[in-house]
């Protein structure tokens, strides 16, 4: 079955985000084990490791991404792979930071 909402622009996905500093995350597209979300934290990224593999595609903003202790700068258009259970977070990001995030596959990663 094809989801009824199968295409989103960044602007329409950001409009689905809850107000306030907490919960700046929404999944506008889901199918099977795959979830496509938009993530736009305010000020600080307090996420914990996830049970599935994930892929971030930076939509706007700049900053630094830390994974398992290694830090790298990011900018719009960059893709970042994070394996299941890896420690990671966005740091020192600009106020306009937003990213697509795609989760898929079994718990524990592929």
């Amino acid at each position: 079955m094809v989801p009824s909402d199968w295409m989103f622009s960044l602007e329409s996905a950001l409009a689905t985000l809850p107000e306030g500093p907490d919960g700046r995350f929404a999944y506008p597209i889901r199918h099977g084990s795959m979830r496509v979300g938009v993530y736009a934290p305010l000020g600080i990224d307090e996420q914990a490791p996830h049970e599935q593999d994930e892929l971030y595609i930076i939509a706007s903003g700049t900053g630094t991404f830390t994974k398992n202790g290694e830090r790298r700068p990011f900018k719009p258009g960059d893709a970042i792979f994070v394996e299941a259970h890896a420690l990671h977070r966005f740091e020192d990001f600009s106020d306009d930071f937003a990213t697509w995030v795609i989760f898929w596959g079994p718990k524990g990663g592929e």
Side-chain angles (χ1 to χ4, degrees):
M1 175 179 208
V2 175
S4 61
D5 296 323
W6 56 271
M7 185 173 173
F8 275 80
S9 67
L10 179 62
E11 293 78 19
S12 64
L14 288 171
T16 69
L17 293 176
E19 293 295 322
D22 297 331
R24 297 284 300 165
F25 192 86
Y27 294 113
I29 302 173
R30 295 172 178 257
H31 183 75
S33 72
M34 185 271 304
R35 295 170 288 152
V36 176
V38 63
Y39 182 49
L42 298 174
I44 190 167
D45 174 14
E46 296 181 345
Q47 66 178 303
H50 307 289
E51 293 185 339
Q52 288 177 288
D53 291 335
E54 64 184 309
L55 179 67
Y56 292 103
I57 301 171
I58 307 302
S60 62
T62 59
T64 303
F65 187 78
T66 300
K67 181 173 94 167
N68 294 330
E70 184 177 347
R71 300 182 78 209
R72 293 189 184 178
F74 67 82
K75 63 186 181 324
D78 287 349
I80 302 168
F81 172 72
V82 180
E83 62 277 10
H85 303 292
L87 294 172
H88 65 284
R89 74 182 61 257
F90 293 94
E91 299 176 334
D92 304 320
F93 48 87
S94 58
D95 291 342
D96 63 340
F97 170 62
T99 187
W100 291 106
V101 59
I102 304 161
F103 291 95
W104 75 92
K107 290 182 178 180
E110 291 187 6

